[in-house]
């Protein structure tokens, strides 16, 4: 299906659209452009929950821009896919390497953000955005636990409260999608079910290349299958019943980005009753929004970029500390 230019005008294509719009707001600091770019009733889902309405987006953006006045975000990848003939869903991977002054010392802050934006006729209607706030805290010298105590998890609304899509390759949270690159998409979804959900970690090598790269939160890079296994174990150990729900999928093949990328929006749901990685156990339920961008070459995954907000996760856990929790039968 050909995408009508009304979806991305006045730019050349959705890739160009996303790069230029993001630069205008976040680099040129034209915060008022959000009024022209976002629908008044736009919905944004982030690590701390859902914000409904353009005014909340403007306020949040203003505070973030003011908090990092030297910030420049560089587009590392744009995975976009049509949603009908007048809309597209983009998965915009942004890399930033900022310098800030903290107590008279220059600190370099490297972090990644992924913003999945649903644009219809050139206007943003719904967004799923995740930021590596852990990297920001660690590089600024801020205790992540202290940072989390300053935050409040507001909860999710709208599509995020509905059951996961029955056939995410046909219809995701963003709506019906084209049936592109089905074998590769099915491979990635099978990988998530077998390795992430069924805990068959030994099967990493069935889906991923030996020389794989994982770029993940805390500005960490993990290599090789054994490193990937350890990282995934560390993620789920605090939540032994964790399950990952796939909410959306989009694909894009472009030589400038090394070929086929498959972006997956997921939500991890579990209870904090396992390894006490974030302080005393609470037994409370958590829901963690994340996005992974997979690079697929020759039918195998060679790279994953995985972003979620660990500080927001800590804030959820802190909110459940009002009730004592003791349970020794967690295995």
């Amino acid at each position: 299906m050909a995408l009508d230019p009304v979806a991305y005008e006045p730019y050349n294509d959705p890739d160009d659209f996303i790069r230029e719009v993001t630069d205008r707001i976040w680099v040129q600091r034209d915060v008022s452009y959000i009024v022209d770019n976002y629908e008044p009733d736009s919905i944004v889902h982030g690590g701390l929950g859902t914000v409904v309405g353009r005014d909340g987006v403007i306020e949040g953006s203003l505070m973030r821009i003011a908090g990092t006045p030297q910030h420049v975000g560089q587009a590392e990848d744009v995975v976009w896919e049509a949603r009908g003939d007048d809309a597209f869903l983009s998965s915009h991977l942004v890399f930033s390497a900022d310098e800030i002054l903290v107590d008279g010392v220059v600190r370099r802050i490297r972090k990644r953000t992924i913003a999945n934006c649903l644009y219809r006729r050139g206007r943003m209607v719904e967004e799923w955005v995740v930021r590596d706030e852990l990297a920001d805290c660690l590089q600024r010298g801020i205790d992540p636990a202290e940072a989390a105590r300053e935050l409040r998890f507001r909860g999710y609304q709208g599509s995020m409260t509905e059951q996961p899509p029955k056939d995410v390759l046909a219809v995701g949270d963003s709506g019906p999608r084209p049936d592109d690159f089905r074998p590769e998409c099915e491979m990635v979804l099978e990988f998530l079910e077998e390795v992430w959900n069924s805990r068959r970690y030994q099967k990493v090598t069935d889906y991923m290349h030996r020389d794989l790269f994982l770029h993940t939160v805390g500005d960490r890079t993990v290599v090789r299958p054994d490193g990937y296994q350890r990282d995934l174990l560390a993620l789920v150990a605090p939540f032994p019943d964790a399950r990952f729900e796939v909410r959306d999928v989009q694909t894009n093949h472009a030589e400038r980005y090394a070929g086929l990328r498959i972006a997956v929006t997921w939500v991890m749901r579990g209870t904090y009753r396992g390894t006490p990685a974030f302080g005393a156990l609470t037994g409370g339920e958590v829901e963690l929004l994340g996005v992974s961008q997979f690079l697929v070459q020759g039918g195998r995954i060679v790279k994953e970029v995985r972003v979620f907000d660990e500080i927001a996760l800590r804030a959820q856990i802190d909110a459940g500390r009002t009730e004592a929790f003791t349970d020794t039968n967690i295995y």
Side-chain angles (χ1 to χ4, degrees):
M1 177 186 294
L3 190 59
D4 191 317
V6 72
Y8 51 80
E9 289 175 336
Y11 302 103
N12 297 323
D13 56 28
D15 187 300
D16 193 32
F17 180 102
I18 289 297
R19 287 168 172 267
E20 295 301 324
V21 165
T22 304
D23 254 34
R24 181 165 176 176
I25 296 171
W26 292 93
V27 179
Q28 300 174 28
R29 299 176 181 82
D30 185 0
V31 180
S32 67
Y33 185 59
I34 294 174
V35 175
D36 303 320
N37 190 246
Y38 282 61
E39 290 290 0
D41 58 350
S42 57
I43 301 171
V44 178
H45 311 286
L48 289 170
T50 302
V51 174
V52 178
R54 186 173 57 198
D55 290 346
V57 176
I58 293 172
E59 291 176 4
S61 300
L62 181 65
M63 289 186 288
R64 284 187 175 277
I65 291 171
T68 315
Q70 304 301 319
H71 171 78
V72 175
Q74 171 72 30
E76 189 173 346
D77 205 333
V78 180
V79 183
W80 71 268
E81 188 177 77
R83 290 294 181 268
D85 61 2
D86 67 349
F88 66 88
L89 177 67
S90 66
S91 185
H92 185 194
L93 173 61
V94 180
F95 176 78
S96 58
D98 302 324
E99 292 188 354
I100 63 170
L101 197 63
V102 178
D103 298 328
V105 177
V106 174
R107 292 185 180 269
R108 292 175 174 83
I109 312 298
R110 293 167 39 101
K111 61 186 290 189
R112 286 181 169 90
T113 296
I114 299 181
N116 283 14
C117 296
L118 177 61
Y119 274 92
R120 192 170 303 282
R121 302 182 72 83
R123 304 272 291 182
M124 213 286 293
V125 295
E126 191 163 6
E127 180 177 5
W128 297 260
V129 59
V130 284
R131 299 180 175 90
D132 184 5
E133 300 293 8
L134 175 63
D136 193 84
C137 286
L138 295 177
Q139 293 168 96
R140 288 175 183 262
I142 299 172
D143 181 359
E146 290 293 330
R149 281 192 277 272
E150 300 296 321
L151 302 176
R152 180 179 63 85
F153 180 68
R154 65 180 69 89
Y156 290 110
Q157 301 179 42
S159 62
M160 289 284 289
T161 65
E162 299 171 1
Q163 290 295 313
K166 292 182 179 179
D167 181 2
V168 74
L169 294 185
V171 181
D173 281 352
S174 62
R177 60 175 301 274
D179 192 15
D180 294 335
F181 304 103
R182 175 168 281 270
E184 293 86 354
C185 288
E186 289 178 339
M187 181 271 293
V188 168
L189 294 183
E190 183 180 281
F191 163 72
L192 295 176
E193 184 59 34
E194 286 288 293
V195 177
W196 288 28
N197 280 332
S198 298
R199 315 291 199 253
R200 296 187 175 100
Y201 300 121
Q202 82 281 1
K203 299 187 75 171
V204 167
T205 52
D206 292 352
Y207 303 92
M208 306 190 86
H209 196 277
R210 181 201 64 190
D211 299 321
L212 69 92
F213 283 85
L214 167 66
H215 302 301
T216 189
V217 298
D219 187 39
R220 292 184 302 110
T221 296
V222 174
V223 299
R224 297 274 181 147
D226 64 323
Y228 191 95
Q229 292 168 338
R230 290 195 301 270
D231 181 84
L232 196 54
L233 279 165
L235 175 59
V236 301
F239 317 99
D241 60 344
R243 181 163 182 83
F244 296 85
E245 302 173 352
V246 176
R247 308 292 312 196
D248 226 323
V249 173
Q250 67 235 72
T251 66
N252 185 271
H253 189 286
E255 294 304 322
R256 71 182 296 177
Y257 300 116
L260 175 62
R261 292 96 62 236
I262 299 175
V264 177
T265 305
W266 49 265
V267 174
M268 185 197 78
R269 302 185 193 278
T271 52
Y272 184 49
R273 60 184 181 87
T275 302
F278 308 110
L281 300 175
T282 66
E285 296 182 356
V286 300
E287 45 190 341
L288 176 66
L289 174 64
V291 179
S292 291
Q293 291 187 354
F294 297 95
L295 175 63
V296 178
Q297 295 177 343
R300 296 171 75 81
I301 299 167
V302 300
K303 183 175 74 171
E304 178 190 353
V305 180
R306 184 193 307 153
V307 181
F308 57 88
D309 188 345
E310 184 178 303
I311 307 304
L313 176 63
R314 288 173 177 268
Q316 280 191 65
I317 293 170
D318 287 345
R321 296 198 190 283
T322 54
E323 297 181 6
F325 172 69
T326 57
D327 187 355
T328 58
N329 186 25
I330 62 173
Y331 300 106

